[in-house]
Amino acid sequence: EISDKDLYETYLPAFEACVKEGGVEAVMSAYNAFDGTPCSANPRLLQTILRERWGFDGHVVSDCGAIEDLFTTYCIADNKAEAVAMALKAGCDLNCGSAYQYLLTSYKEGFIEEADLDKALRHVLRSRFRLGMFDDPEHVPFSQIGYEEISSPAHVELAREAARQSLVLLKNDGILPLDKAKIKTIGVIGPNANDRMPCWATTTARRMSVLPCWTGCGGICGSMAARFAMPRAAPFSSPVMRCSAKPYLRQSTVTWFCSVWAWIPSWKGKR
């Protein structure tokens, strides 16, 4: 739990800039809970702040499996039909996962109304229209983007430069820069040091070359004849959480509601 002062001065500014200045078309709700309410079912985040205060007019999509969590992990819903109703009414328009297949059941059981479905549908269809998905491909710039643009050298270099500039050195006790004449061994330690899966996120384009930390360090520092301690990678997994007799609300310090944002040019005024 955080104070409103900390929320608005520390956590929200970066996301607000993405919405107001960056013009994001899609926002992804996170797995964690805020103020005791899971982010994918949190109307304060998805409605009051995002749409009413910031004027966001795109669509909201859940992180993958986050809506199922309302039933299986947080236990604030008795079944999946109730879970999807909570998310939809809170402002989660689209589901990454399989939960929204229960929308019809939710409607038949009275958890949601047709107006709730219409509202989400308008948000999702508006994004699709902006993408030109219902127009002649010849008139849609996006359709002219070739496969060769994926992981192109220019884009890889841009990503590398963004990574360089994002680094912040808080303290240097004299060890940096590394002295190649003195250092012969660098230990890359940790369960994900030689594991590619954590690097994937949700981007698994076939053209991409994903290198784990150990391989990347070897490529950069190989000229100094350094030897690397390559630990055996542990399976990439998360702890299993089960519902107890009482609803369990998982608290987290993960930043606000947006773990990842998707950026689709709005083309405002050019639809």
Side-chain angles (χ1 to χ4, degrees):
E1 295 183 0
I2 58 176
S3 66
D4 279 352
K5 182 179 187 298
D6 203 17
L7 175 68
Y8 283 97
E9 294 184 1
T10 305
Y11 292 92
L12 294 188
F15 297 107
E16 183 177 8
C18 289
V19 173
K20 291 185 175 181
E21 300 173 28
V24 294
E25 182 67 25
V27 168
M28 177 173 278
S29 56
Y31 293 114
N32 55 285
F34 170 69
D35 271 355
T37 303
C39 296
S40 293
N42 197 314
R44 181 187 178 191
L45 293 176
L46 304 184
Q47 293 285 356
T48 305
I49 295 176
L50 182 62
R51 293 194 182 277
E52 295 175 15
R53 294 187 180 179
W54 294 354
F56 177 70
D57 69 346
H59 70 277
V60 174
V61 58
S62 74
D63 209 336
C64 298
I67 295 179
E68 286 91 339
D69 279 352
L70 303 180
F71 167 61
T72 61
T73 301
Y74 286 103
C75 305
I76 61 173
D78 292 331
N79 50 57
K80 291 186 178 181
E82 186 177 2
V84 300
M86 290 179 175
L88 190 73
K89 288 184 174 181
C92 193
D93 305 305
L94 195 61
N95 163 230
C96 176
S98 58
Y100 271 17
Q101 66 179 308
Y102 293 94
L103 281 173
L104 182 58
T105 302
S106 184
Y107 172 75
K108 289 181 177 179
E109 293 184 5
F111 291 123
I112 57 175
E113 299 178 353
E114 188 172 346
D116 298 316
L117 293 168
D118 289 342
K119 185 177 181 180
L121 184 62
R122 282 195 297 271
H123 295 156
V124 174
L125 284 179
R126 183 164 51 202
S127 292
R128 297 186 67 185
F129 278 119
R130 288 171 172 170
L131 282 169
M133 297 180 69
F134 302 98
D135 298 327
D136 188 330
E138 294 183 358
H139 302 295
V140 181
F142 294 124
S143 65
Q144 310 303 317
I145 300 176
Y147 188 63
E148 66 278 1
E149 292 296 329
I150 297 176
S151 194
S152 66
H155 294 164
V156 170
E157 182 55 35
L158 178 61
R160 183 178 291 113
E161 181 61 24
R164 289 193 190 104
Q165 294 191 26
S166 68
L167 296 175
V168 178
L169 179 63
L170 298 180
K171 181 181 179 180
N172 183 13
D173 56 7
I175 193 172
L176 297 177
L178 298 178
D179 188 341
K180 295 182 181 181
K182 296 180 179 180
I183 298 177
K184 302 300 181 182
T185 302
I186 295 179
V188 184
I189 303 169
N192 297 322
N194 195 37
D195 191 356
R196 286 179 171 81
M197 189 171 182
C199 304
W200 286 355
T202 52
T203 304
T204 55
R206 297 297 180 186
R207 287 177 57 91
M208 295 185 67
S209 177
V210 179
L211 300 178
C213 294
W214 184 85
T215 307
C217 289
I220 295 173
C221 303
S223 61
M224 55 189 285
R227 292 176 291 117
F228 293 87
M230 183 175 70
R232 185 174 181 178
F236 183 73
S237 60
S238 57
V240 176
M241 303 180 69
R242 302 182 183 279
C243 296
S244 57
K246 295 182 180 181
Y248 173 76
L249 291 182
R250 177 176 52 186
Q251 297 295 329
S252 173
T253 56
V254 178
T255 56
W256 194 44
F257 76 97
C258 188
S259 56
V260 179
W261 66 84
W263 184 9
I264 304 173
S266 298
W267 289 10
K268 295 180 180 178
K270 299 180 180 179
R271 302 168 203 167

